[in-house]
Amino acid sequence: MADALHFTGNHEADVLLAEEPLALLIGFALDQQVPVQTAFSGPLKLKQRFGTLDARAIATADPGQLEQSFREKPAIHRFPGSMAKRVQELAAVIDDEYGGRAERVWTDAADGDDLRRRIGALPGFGKMKVTALGAVLAKRFGVQAAQDLVPNHPTLGDVDSAEALEAYQAKKRAHKAEMRAKQSS
């Protein structure tokens, strides 16, 4: 099992991602239209500003108070209002369906198909995030059910150091350019 996920360049944030399953899910929820480092630094910022990463506390928080935690400078995300709402919705699902224990999304999954369904049902988790989270769970945490979700292109699951993050981001840019070229031809 990973003792840190090298997604941010901040040791404390990277350790939190590995130790706190809800932090990992929040990081993936925030991983949209911002650099990886910004998205995955968000859970630590939220914990520092809001005081906890407890799913029930986030789910039942006053939306305005939670949004303020996102808007405080520097903002957690470039779209603090919509992302505060998404994280609150994510926390509500974790609280309601998984008893507040985010790791149950994968520990209770019967197989790869069940895990794909569970992750895909989370607010803000489309196909790309399902495979990316699956790759992290399979490659960094040894989650057997996640093995079927690992795609045949580079993902965050391949990142095991700061250098690997740089290499991943370069490969991701190349992969996206290749996909755009295929779509336009």
Side-chain angles (χ1 to χ4, degrees):
M1 185 170 133
D3 58 347
L5 295 176
H6 303 278
F7 297 170
T8 71
N10 174 315
H11 180 71
E12 187 179 0
D14 290 345
V15 169
L16 181 66
L17 293 170
E19 291 182 349
E20 175 54 58
L22 185 57
L24 181 61
L25 293 180
I26 290 171
F28 271 98
L30 297 174
D31 189 20
Q32 183 176 328
Q33 298 184 332
V34 295
V36 169
Q37 295 88 335
T38 300
F40 287 95
S41 293
L44 177 61
K45 288 179 184 173
L46 181 60
K47 184 175 183 178
Q48 291 168 337
R49 296 171 185 182
F50 188 69
T52 184
L53 288 184
D54 177 75
R56 175 163 289 146
I58 295 170
T60 60
D62 173 83
Q65 179 190 2
L66 186 63
E67 184 175 327
Q68 186 55 41
S69 296
F70 272 74
R71 288 191 184 282
E72 184 181 312
K73 302 285 185 206
I76 289 176
H77 195 277
R78 70 186 281 200
F79 302 113
S82 61
M83 287 300 161
K85 183 179 179 186
R86 177 171 291 163
V87 167
Q88 192 161 37
E89 291 168 352
L90 172 64
V93 169
I94 297 302
D95 187 43
D96 293 345
E97 296 182 24
Y98 299 100
R101 301 190 49 93
E103 69 276 9
R104 288 185 52 210
V105 171
W106 52 90
T107 60
D108 291 359
D111 56 26
D113 289 338
D114 187 32
L115 180 58
R116 181 178 285 106
R117 181 194 57 73
R118 288 165 176 261
I119 297 171
L122 297 174
F125 282 71
K127 183 180 176 187
M128 288 178 58
K129 287 185 186 182
V130 170
T131 57
L133 176 57
V136 170
L137 293 172
K139 294 180 177 186
R140 301 276 74 88
F141 296 102
V143 175
Q144 193 58 43
Q147 298 298 326
D148 293 344
L149 280 64
V150 179
N152 62 0
H153 59 78
T155 69
L156 281 171
D158 301 310
V159 174
D160 59 4
S161 67
E163 298 78 21
L165 178 61
E166 288 178 30
Y168 158 73
Q169 289 180 307
K171 289 176 186 173
K172 181 178 177 183
R173 285 189 294 273
H175 179 71
K176 283 185 173 182
E178 182 181 326
M179 297 307 286
R180 281 193 298 272
K182 284 181 182 176
Q183 289 175 346
S184 64
S185 56

